[in-house]
Amino acid sequence: MGARLVQRPGPAASLVIRGARVLDPAAGIDEVRDLVIRDGVIGGDPEGLEAIDGTGMIAVPGFVDPHVHLRTPGREDLEDIATGSMSAAAGGFVTIVAMPNTSPVVDNAAVLGTLIDRAEREAAVRVGFYAAITVGQKGKELTEQVEMAELGAAGFSDDGHPVSDAGVMRRALQYQRITGLPLVLHEEDMTLSGRGVAHEGAVASRLGLAGIPPVSESIAVARDAVLAEYEGGFIHICHVSASETVDEIRRAKERGVRITGEVTPHHLTLTDAAIASLDPARHKMNPPLREESDRRSLIAALLDGTLDLVATDHAPHDADEKEVPFEEAPFGITGLETAFAVCNTHLVRTGEVPLELLVRRMGSDAAAALALPVPTLAEGAVADVALIDPEAVVVVGEGGFQSKSRNSAWLGEQLHGRVNLTIAGGQIAWRP
Amino acid sequence: MRAPVSGATGKVLVDQDQVRRTVARIAHEIVERHAEPEKLALVGIHTRGVPLAARLARLIGEFAGTEPATGTVDIALYRDDVGLDARRGALPVVGDTVLDFNVAERAVILVDDVLFTGRTIRAAIDAIFDYGRPPLVQLAVLVDRGHRELPIRPDYVGKNLPTSRAERIAVHLAEVDGTDQVVLEAVR
Amino acid sequence: MTRRSLLTIADLDRAEIARILRVGNRFAEVMERDIKKVPTLRGRTIINMFFEASTRTSTSFELAGKRLSADVVNVKGSGSSVEKGETLKDTVITLNSYLPDVLVIRHQSVGACQLAARHTGAAVINAGDGKHEHPTQTLLDLYTIEREVGPLDGLHIAFVGDVAHSRVARSGIRGFQMMGARVTLIAPPTLIPRDAEEALGVATSTDIRDVADADVVYVLRMQLERMGPGGFVPSLREYAATYGVNHGRLRPGQRVMHAGPINRGVEISGALADDPKTLIERQAANGMVVRMAVLYDLLAGPSPGAEPAEHPIGAVAV
């Protein structure tokens, strides 16, 4: 059984990108040349095709984000499949997978089937859906995972409502032997997080905010790594934020546990110093922004492969939810439209992360970790391409967002990196 | 406190000796009109009205045998433009108001260095009345430069110095500025 | 004053704090007159928004505004549209349409004043936002210490008790340090914030005997309403026995403060709370004149960003 990724039907792209740096590190491609896309497939005869000038730009395999919130069903006022997938396309993404913490929760085949049907009509890029691990994400009873796997679930997750009961987690890992699908885990021990709203550290102490200690994340990862090892299952750790968690994942990998980890652009580039302005629309998320030492170890882990991929945890919220006192606001920021530019500006251009590595971690590595189709620029592959001007300056939010929400940490900030074209599944998904 | 404007090339209108004689004349005029200094209080308006009131009280003591009571009044809390003038560079300092006598039992002579728009005097009268109801309030100033914006008239005037609004009259007193003189400065 | 709002004590520097305390002395003099009112803020509008219970702060802010002749309106959480589910943002926008000069805000959540400041042109005064800060309390505490104990420079002040949930301590630590005092936190380990030494620049101790070294012992209220389930201390009985401040734990000459309201027999003994040698009553009494000084400082100064005048204007001491 495998993930079913769907996209609305559309005409196959045929064009030639002239003179771009064609960069697909996983396929060993890195040269300035023309890139031909004919009938939605890489390669072929450029004769008679529309030409796009790619001088000074990079043409890379489109990005893959295995962690987004499309707020559908239930909060279509914040995001829906059409706008969320357009937001992805605008950020150079060709495949996204949505979390099931919706209303109702995606915990049965009926809801999942409806979503897949809707995505087949609305999605600008390939969209997949996780189903819940437990009914209602309540952490008690397993969902009907086999049925949902057969229908095309991309994996199982109780994102936002971590499975606190180790026995339930163990049964989910046992059931994984039937479905073969990843367990995608928001790791947090809620008894340690309590009422926390920010990283437990000096900044929260100064602001009087209840803290979320880093160990509330690492302790949950440690437990599930032990369970996965015991059951021979595999788990994917969402939005790693703390150096303690990096250590747990590194140790687990060293002893052969099948574990992968993701990190968000905001945890890679921001720290809890940012929350001093107490603006929840920008800086309140869970896991919280942590300290510079955590940020450094996240970057190191992304470089050495302890963390496998970059994912955004794109979490749309509107002003009604976010324009409240910091303590009262919901967690989460948007991320799809800014992901590459943020990482390019604050990691690549600062020399901390090579461009080639970032392209891998946002594309082929992200797909491989979650058994999704790997985008490639190899001849004959379905075209999944992002054409990006890495030098171009964009002001975040200046021209509005494709997303229905604008709760971005970088609102108004100047970033380097404009996505000029996204071809997803052989179709033009984004061309401003 | 209003520091002398640095680098200002002021024209001296009244020199040290003239200031001394002018203050003495005012003291005489006060004595002429108030036979009983013990029923009189001289209240100086911060900043330069305060030493002027002290000088007048001393001179009245010399001329009449008894020094009148003195006090100080600060009008910062009684201004009619609190926070309205964004051009003003600093918060008005709130100074002491000291009226250690029964305001209801003495004629109060307000003392200030320069009478200009009259707004300061209005504020000072309001402040005095929050302490009691004096039987009489008069006004003594060293310089009257005109441009009144309120129906206020001094009872004792040292010098009438007609000026334009673009000019500035600076009274320097030894107690505050190290020297006695009245200077005309042009405001750019 | 270059900043128009007072959201945290750090919005003020040492000189600005000293200025406010000096003006507070002037207002104390005004309070000795028969007519305890000056016309200074005539025509100004102050809206007090108290979403959380308060006696001292709300009363003293109201009186402070009235004695400066401002028009003062009080909005409470109960009895207002807040009870009908109106959000803080909408309440602020609504009240802002009446063109207030100052919004005084007391709210149960950290960040409420910052949110309000994003939606009003009025000066915002934080009168306590959750566990965050309570800057006017710190100003009146500084005023009280200066008058009753002496200059803050070199003084040693110990906060005892529930530091974790205390906005009084969070503003106080910063404010006392700014004025030159040294601060120690004495509390059970569960009530000392993470990394307090580094975050707050204080010494910490879990031993109540360490109050002996302090000049001023500032007792903090056990904020049971903010603790939630789980219990930060096993019982109030054990807390009182281990950390409660009483005459027996003090040496002669030590001055005791408490921002109120007091839990008698918990963080402070009834006998000590009633002892006239503590500063507790002075704190309450000084609240009004210091809040008058804050209102004066915010409203009488120039607007932020205004160019200083070439010459002071107006025939007054400037």
Side-chain angles (χ1 to χ4, degrees):
Chain A
M1 287 174 251
R4 201 160 150 220
L5 302 171
V6 295
Q7 185 180 11
R8 70 180 175 219
S14 286
L15 49 80
V16 56
I17 298 167
R18 298 234 182 257
R21 178 181 172 196
V22 180
L23 175 63
D24 180 357
I29 300 170
D30 184 0
E31 54 186 325
V32 175
R33 61 166 165 85
D34 295 351
L35 180 67
V36 180
I37 294 121
R38 191 176 258 287
D39 300 326
V41 173
I42 304 282
D45 184 358
E47 186 60 34
L49 295 185
E50 179 196 357
I52 293 178
D53 183 15
T55 310
M57 301 180 203
I58 55 171
V60 297
F63 303 133
V64 175
D65 190 342
H67 189 156
V68 304
H69 297 269
L70 297 182
R71 302 293 188 225
T72 303
R75 287 305 303 269
E76 289 85 349
D77 57 317
L78 303 178
E79 198 77 288
D80 60 29
I81 293 171
T83 59
S85 61
M86 272 310 288
S87 184
F93 289 88
V94 297
T95 300
I96 57 177
V97 188
M99 284 294 176
N101 60 335
T102 49
S103 179
V105 173
V106 187
D107 63 358
N108 61 69
V111 178
L112 178 62
T114 308
L115 281 174
I116 292 173
D117 286 350
R118 259 190 90 169
E120 282 180 325
R121 293 192 305 272
E122 297 178 10
V125 303
R126 288 192 206 85
V127 175
F129 298 93
Y130 296 117
I133 297 172
T134 63
V135 175
Q137 295 191 308
K138 293 188 187 311
K140 302 274 192 255
E141 315 151 47
L142 293 188
T143 54
E144 295 171 335
Q145 296 187 357
V146 176
E147 184 183 13
M148 289 193 285
E150 285 172 343
L151 196 57
F156 297 95
S157 177
D158 275 3
D159 186 40
H161 306 272
V163 178
S164 64
D165 186 319
V168 172
M169 181 58 74
R170 183 185 175 198
R171 286 196 292 279
L173 282 160
Q174 292 169 332
Y175 235 66
Q176 191 182 50
R177 290 179 211 147
I178 312 175
T179 66
L181 292 173
L183 290 172
V184 180
L185 305 178
H186 170 133
E187 296 288 31
E188 185 176 6
D189 184 327
M190 301 308 288
T191 66
L192 290 173
S193 295
R195 297 176 173 187
V197 293
H199 169 66
E200 182 176 277
V203 174
S205 291
R206 279 195 287 272
L207 294 172
L209 296 171
I212 300 174
V215 292
S216 84
E217 180 178 87
S218 61
I219 212 165
V221 170
R223 182 198 77 175
D224 290 341
V226 167
L227 286 171
E229 183 175 24
Y230 185 67
E231 294 295 346
F234 68 97
I235 56 177
H236 172 73
I237 309 300
C238 294
H239 43 51
V240 173
S241 67
S243 63
E244 288 87 343
T245 308
V246 169
D247 293 342
E248 288 300 335
I249 293 174
R250 187 173 285 129
R251 279 198 286 270
K253 282 189 169 182
E254 278 165 8
R255 63 179 196 267
V257 181
R258 294 167 67 201
I259 184 171
T260 54
E262 74 189 27
V263 60
T264 68
H266 48 275
H267 288 109
L268 286 168
T269 60
L270 297 169
T271 68
D272 61 351
I275 68 174
S277 65
L278 291 173
D279 184 351
R282 288 173 181 268
H283 300 127
K284 185 173 177 183
M285 67 285 281
N286 190 17
L289 298 174
R290 299 202 187 270
E291 297 174 18
E292 179 63 13
S293 57
D294 294 295
R295 192 179 83 86
R296 301 249 58 99
S297 73
L298 292 174
I299 293 171
L302 189 70
L303 291 173
D304 73 14
T306 303
L307 294 177
D308 302 79
L309 62 107
V310 174
T312 66
D313 192 9
H314 178 80
H317 287 285
D318 66 9
D320 288 349
E321 295 174 295
K322 281 290 198 177
E323 289 192 4
V324 297
F326 190 89
E327 273 188 314
E328 298 173 11
F331 294 110
I333 59 167
T334 58
L336 283 167
E337 287 165 67
T338 50
F340 176 82
V342 165
C343 295
N344 183 51
T345 305
H346 295 298
L347 297 172
V348 175
R349 291 171 63 94
T350 58
E352 289 163 286
V353 173
L355 176 67
E356 298 76 10
L357 186 102
L358 177 66
V359 168
R360 280 186 67 129
R361 298 285 191 249
M362 290 185 70
S364 55
D365 290 354
L370 288 140
L372 301 168
V374 174
T376 173
L377 302 183
E379 288 271 322
V382 172
D384 283 311
V385 183
L387 179 66
I388 300 171
D389 182 343
E391 299 298 321
V393 173
V394 292
V395 178
V396 176
E398 193 178 46
F401 291 96
Q402 296 303 310
S403 170
K404 286 184 181 177
S405 296
R406 48 189 289 114
N407 53 311
S408 165
W410 299 275
L411 192 65
E413 192 179 318
Q414 286 196 357
L415 298 174
H416 290 273
R418 187 172 59 227
V419 178
N420 288 327
L421 174 71
T422 304
I423 299 173
Q427 302 173 29
I428 293 177
W430 174 250
R431 191 175 178 188
Chain B
M1 139 185 346
R2 183 190 294 153
V5 178
S6 60
T9 51
K11 178 181 164 198
V12 176
L13 301 178
V14 184
D15 65 19
Q16 187 172 357
D17 194 48
Q18 287 171 303
V19 168
R20 185 183 55 76
R21 280 184 279 129
T22 303
V23 172
R25 179 172 55 74
I26 294 173
H28 276 294
E29 287 178 20
I30 292 172
V31 172
E32 280 169 23
R33 291 166 66 175
H34 295 275
E36 298 173 289
E38 57 275 10
K39 289 191 177 168
L40 193 60
L42 296 184
V43 175
I45 299 173
H46 277 288
T47 300
R48 285 171 187 75
V50 174
L52 269 182
R55 287 193 202 182
L56 286 170
R58 207 164 45 243
L59 290 170
I60 292 168
E62 285 173 23
F63 304 152
T66 311
E67 269 197 34
T70 56
T72 64
V73 63
D74 183 84
I75 60 113
L77 301 178
Y78 294 83
R79 294 171 61 119
D80 57 12
D81 63 345
V82 172
L84 296 182
D85 195 338
R87 288 172 299 165
R88 196 174 55 235
L91 187 74
V93 172
V94 184
D96 269 322
T97 294
V98 180
L99 301 172
D100 290 332
F101 51 87
N102 189 340
V103 172
E105 293 173 356
R106 287 179 190 252
V108 169
I109 298 180
L110 287 171
V111 181
D112 205 359
D113 55 347
V114 179
L115 177 58
F116 183 29
T117 63
R119 290 176 188 271
T120 299
I121 307 305
R122 194 280 309 158
I125 294 171
D126 279 357
I128 298 282
F129 274 74
D130 276 357
Y131 286 80
R133 182 174 175 277
L136 175 72
V137 180
Q138 292 186 322
L139 173 61
V141 296
L142 187 62
V143 174
D144 182 352
R145 61 168 294 196
H147 303 289
R148 211 79 73 243
E149 293 169 3
L150 296 174
I152 281 172
R153 182 180 54 77
D155 299 279
Y156 311 94
V157 184
K159 295 275 180 193
N160 282 297
L161 296 175
T163 56
S164 87
R165 277 188 171 271
E167 291 167 324
R168 182 165 177 266
I169 293 283
V171 170
H172 298 169
L173 293 176
E175 295 91 329
V176 180
D177 310 290
T179 177
D180 283 354
Q181 61 183 12
V182 179
V183 179
L184 178 72
E185 293 161 352
V187 175
R188 271 179 295 139
Chain C
M1 187 88 191
T2 51
R3 304 167 194 82
R4 291 200 56 228
S5 282
L6 181 57
L7 303 181
T8 82
I9 194 70
D11 286 340
L12 301 171
D13 61 26
R14 184 177 174 134
E16 288 168 327
I17 290 176
R19 183 176 73 205
I20 289 170
L21 301 187
R22 269 199 311 276
V23 174
N25 277 317
R26 301 291 171 229
F27 287 123
E29 180 266 321
V30 170
M31 289 308 106
E32 289 164 10
R33 303 181 192 169
D34 285 346
I35 296 173
K36 295 178 173 51
K37 186 164 178 163
V38 287
T40 317
L41 299 184
R42 241 175 343 197
R44 303 313 180 87
T45 306
I46 297 169
I47 302 184
N48 291 326
M49 304 167 66
F50 280 73
F51 297 98
E52 197 183 52
S54 163
T55 304
R56 288 158 192 76
T57 309
S58 65
T59 309
S60 63
F61 259 117
E62 181 176 354
L63 270 177
K66 287 181 170 168
R67 294 203 157 155
L68 289 167
S69 301
D71 295 313
V72 182
V73 179
N74 297 308
V75 178
K76 304 273 183 197
S78 57
S80 71
S81 296
V82 175
E83 275 194 336
K84 299 178 185 167
E86 188 175 62
T87 65
L88 175 60
K89 175 185 152 191
D90 287 337
T91 306
V92 168
I93 289 171
T94 301
L95 295 176
N96 192 55
S97 67
Y98 307 137
L99 305 176
D101 297 286
V102 179
L103 296 180
V104 178
I105 299 177
R106 157 72 59 95
H107 198 277
Q108 63 279 1
S109 294
V110 177
C113 296
Q114 277 78 3
L115 173 81
R118 287 193 280 271
H119 294 284
T120 178
V124 175
I125 298 179
N126 179 358
D129 59 338
K131 305 183 295 305
H132 183 207
E133 288 223 24
H134 193 357
T136 61
Q137 175 72 43
T138 295
L139 291 170
L140 78 88
D141 289 340
L142 287 165
Y143 180 84
T144 303
I145 294 171
E146 277 204 348
R147 274 173 89 107
E148 308 291 334
V149 183
L152 268 288
D153 245 323
L155 221 55
H156 181 197
I157 298 167
F159 281 102
V160 180
D162 186 2
V163 181
H165 300 97
S166 176
R167 57 191 173 213
V168 171
R170 235 171 299 279
S171 288
I173 291 165
R174 184 75 186 262
F176 295 166
Q177 289 168 338
M178 231 189 293
M179 303 311 282
R182 176 162 68 93
V183 177
T184 299
L185 310 181
I186 301 173
T190 49
L191 291 173
I192 295 179
R194 181 92 182 162
D195 298 336
E197 289 89 348
E198 175 213 344
L200 307 170
V202 294
T204 63
S205 163
T206 56
D207 188 343
I208 188 67
R209 285 173 297 190
D210 287 335
V211 296
D213 190 42
D215 302 301
V216 174
V217 178
Y218 203 124
V219 185
L220 298 172
R221 188 169 67 87
M222 284 295 273
Q223 305 212 36
L224 303 170
E225 75 278 12
R226 294 191 208 283
M227 291 190 190
F232 284 75
V233 295
S235 72
L236 290 182
R237 200 181 131 272
E238 178 168 293
Y239 176 82
T242 319
Y243 292 98
V245 178
N246 53 45
H247 282 106
R249 290 188 158 144
L250 297 172
R251 56 175 172 74
Q254 279 183 305
R255 305 305 293 271
V256 174
M257 300 178 80
H258 192 302
I262 286 168
N263 295 317
R264 281 169 183 271
V266 181
E267 70 266 2
I268 187 167
S269 69
L272 182 58
D274 292 335
D275 186 338
K277 287 199 286 294
T278 71
L279 301 177
I280 298 170
E281 210 183 308
R282 295 312 312 155
Q283 289 175 273
N286 291 335
M288 185 179 59
V289 293
V290 170
R291 288 178 175 121
M292 288 172 81
V294 169
L295 290 170
Y296 177 74
D297 209 272
L298 287 178
L299 288 182
S303 311
E307 291 294 316
E310 180 89 6
H311 298 289
I313 293 167
V316 290
V318 187

